[in-house]
Each structure stands twice: as structure tokens, then as C-alpha cells.
Amino acid sequence: MNFPEYVQINEVVLRDGLQLEAKVVPLEEKKELYDLLMNAHVKTLEFGSFVHPKLVPQMANSGELFDAVAAETQRPDLIALIPNLKGAENAQSHGVNRLNFVFSASDTHNQQNVRKNTGESLTELETILEFCTSHSIILNVSIATTFGCPFEGEVPVARIQNLVRRLVEMKIDVITLADTTGMANPKQVYDLLTMLRDEFTSQKFNLHFHNTRGMGLSNILASLQAGIDSFDTSLGGLGGCPFAPGATGNVCTEDVVHMLHTMGIDTGLSLKGLLKASAALEKIVEHRTPSYLLKAGPSDRKYPVPTS
């Protein structure tokens, strides 16, 4: 098996991780979590989203968080998710220079998420791309429900292929393929990624998995085998789409990093720092998280032999 020597981890806990939480986390606690992630050497961070605050109140202070950290000299790449042109304009007004536009491969899920069909979102993407280009903003794109839709079921591979082709023609920097509700399986992941990378040899792909059915780490392994070296993960395994039934958390950052490090794959992240941040996260959200590593510790942890 040919695995990459280095894998990029894009931390999404401040956006995807918190958007489904019952508690609306205040700015001070988000900043505390941000600082802990910096101490763990996180290099790429999706810090929030510019969406309507009535729809996702947990993201209402995203602009304030960016303003609080924007002047730091040693800050990571900060990415904001946007669903439309209005979101891009709001992000730009705060000085955000890297955005992630999301739309769904499934028309039904896209209607639930942004009140448009997929074609309408692609049309709006062209306008957003023009706006970003004119303001020197890097625009990445995520395709939600790439591996299946909770409303429509299977999403045809040809549909994904055609959507990716449209994005490649637009010269999108990074395309994220998202398993929005954890429907993917490793063989499906490997087959799709192999096909896409064979056709679009110069395109940078990023993968976004949820652990809804316990296959998150397996799907990451299949992605590595297909040559992918960039993944979204969420501290503590928090997260989920507010507009998808049965949505649960993302693959857990510390669990993914632990797996990669034990395989001899570098991430540049401090596992010790991530565990400290994950412990703080449980206090902030006021409940236990799905993190396996926070419960069990690293696999090289040794225990004293019982004396009686």
C-alpha cells in the first residue's frame, strides 16, 4: 500500500462541529477553543459560516470571531463556509480571504439546505466566483451528499462526475467531496476517488466524512489508498448538518490523527495538544463527545500491572 508521507488536516469544529449543538457557544469560549487548537499546531481552520442567524444561530458570531483573531501574526488559514452570494459579501466585509461554497449533489437535499436545486446553486456559484476573483478571495467548493442522500438514496456516479467536471472547468482550487450523513462505504469511496483522480489528474481533492454509521476511519483509509492526502475533521467528533435527518458527528480529529501517526504518516499536529483541546470542548458544550481517544488514550499508553 502506498500511503502519503504527510496528510493535511482541516479542522472544522468551530463550524460543522458546533452548528448542531443545543448550546450557542459565546465568542469568549470559541476564542478559548481557537487558542487551544493553535497550541495543537492546527494549520487550516474552518472557523464559521456566514448564513442567516435565524437558521443557524450557532454561527451568528462567526464574523466577530474572525475579527478577534484576524490581526494575529501566527494564525492558521481561516476558512468560512458560505451558501450564497450574500454570505460571500458578508465574509468579505470582515476581510475573510478564503471561502468554501457548499451545494448538494442531490436536488432534494439542496432544496432543504439552501432552498434551491443543484442547477440553481451552480448558476449562483458562477456569480460568487466572479465576486471572489474581483476581491482576491480564494474560493473552494464542497459537494454535499456525494456518497448518498438521506432523501433520494444513491446519487449516481455519473452525476458526481459531471458536477466535478463543471467545477474543474471553473478552475476551483480545492473540491471537497462530502459524505454529509455518513452513507459512504470504503469500496464506494475508493472506486469513486480512483475514477475522479484518473480523469482529473491535476485537481486537488479534499474529503469530508461523517462517522454516522461507524465507517469514518475506514473511509479515510480507503481515501488514502486512492491517493487523497487532505481531510476535514472535527475535534471531539462533533458535527452534523442541521438540514439532514439522522445527522451525526464528523470523523474525530484526534482519532484520525492518532491513526495516521501510528501508521507513520505525519500531520504536523500535536496529539497531546488536541487531547487537551478536546477535554476543554466537553466542558464548553457541556456533554461528552464521541472521541474514542479522549476516553481510551493513545495506543502506546501503558498501565501499571495490578498488584492484587
Side-chain angles (χ1 to χ4, degrees):
M1 296 183 186
N2 294 318
F3 294 125
E5 295 181 359
Y6 177 85
V7 164
Q8 177 176 318
I9 297 295
N10 311 302
E11 178 58 59
V12 300
V13 66
L14 288 170
R15 198 277 301 172
D16 201 340
L18 296 181
Q19 69 181 6
L20 208 58
E21 287 295 308
K23 176 183 176 180
V24 177
V25 178
L27 176 62
E28 295 75 16
E29 291 182 330
K30 284 188 176 182
K31 180 60 166 61
E32 175 191 350
L33 198 53
Y34 169 91
D35 289 339
L36 288 167
L37 292 169
M38 295 309 95
N39 290 337
H41 309 148
V42 168
K43 298 294 190 297
T44 308
L45 180 65
E46 195 167 88
F47 69 90
S49 58
F50 288 86
V51 297
H52 199 293
K54 289 185 178 179
L55 295 177
V56 191
Q58 296 87 344
M59 295 294 105
N61 57 7
S62 293
E64 294 176 74
L65 178 61
F66 184 83
D67 293 343
V69 303
E72 296 184 4
T73 56
Q74 297 297 320
R75 66 177 175 87
D77 285 338
L78 295 173
I79 305 169
L81 181 138
I82 58 163
N84 49 38
L85 178 60
K86 180 66 173 177
E89 292 170 341
N90 288 342
Q92 189 273 333
S93 71
H94 286 271
V96 181
N97 60 9
R98 189 169 174 186
L99 300 178
N100 179 27
F101 173 75
V102 61
F103 73 95
S104 301
S106 153
D107 276 324
T108 306
H109 185 266
N110 211 57
Q111 288 281 3
Q112 294 295 312
N113 201 19
V114 294
R115 304 295 185 263
K116 297 180 178 73
N117 63 39
T118 301
E120 290 169 333
S121 282
L122 282 171
T123 298
E124 185 167 30
L125 172 59
E126 294 175 353
T127 304
I128 294 170
L129 183 57
E130 290 178 6
F131 174 84
C132 289
T133 301
S134 67
H135 289 86
S136 301
I137 295 172
I138 297 172
L139 181 65
N140 299 328
V141 176
S142 292
I143 307 176
T145 64
T146 292
F147 299 94
C149 170
F151 304 106
E152 297 180 12
E154 180 181 350
V155 176
V157 169
R159 183 171 176 83
I160 302 301
Q161 190 175 21
N162 288 334
L163 291 172
V164 169
R165 186 175 295 112
R166 287 281 301 274
L167 300 182
V168 171
E169 289 169 354
M170 293 181 192
K171 296 181 170 54
I172 297 300
D173 186 41
V174 178
I175 299 173
T176 293
L177 305 174
D179 183 27
T180 310
T181 55
M183 297 173 67
N185 68 73
K187 183 179 185 303
Q188 175 193 20
V189 168
Y190 180 83
D191 289 346
L192 178 64
L193 295 178
T194 301
M195 181 198 70
L196 292 176
R197 294 189 74 247
D198 283 347
E199 180 173 355
F200 308 107
T201 55
S202 299
Q203 180 60 49
K204 172 72 173 177
F205 289 102
N206 176 66
L207 271 291
H208 179 108
F209 290 113
H210 285 247
N211 199 39
T212 313
R213 294 167 178 86
M215 290 193 281
L217 290 179
S218 299
N219 288 329
I220 285 181
L221 183 61
S223 302
L224 293 170
Q225 291 173 317
I228 300 298
D229 61 2
S230 179
F231 299 92
D232 290 349
T233 66
S234 179
L235 190 74
L238 292 186
C241 174
F243 308 105
T248 55
N250 294 261
V251 285
C252 174
T253 301
E254 56 266 35
D255 293 346
V256 173
V257 169
H258 176 260
M259 180 184 79
L260 294 173
H261 286 186
T262 58
M263 294 169 65
I265 299 172
D266 185 24
T267 65
L269 300 180
S270 163
L271 186 58
K272 182 178 179 180
L274 290 173
L275 287 171
K276 183 178 180 180
S278 190
L281 176 64
E282 288 196 336
K283 295 179 181 178
I284 289 171
V285 298
E286 300 172 359
H287 65 78
R288 299 296 298 272
T289 67
S291 171
Y292 285 110
L293 211 66
L294 195 59
K295 298 178 181 70
S299 60
D300 60 0
R301 177 180 177 179
K302 296 181 175 63
Y303 296 85
V305 177
T307 58
S308 59

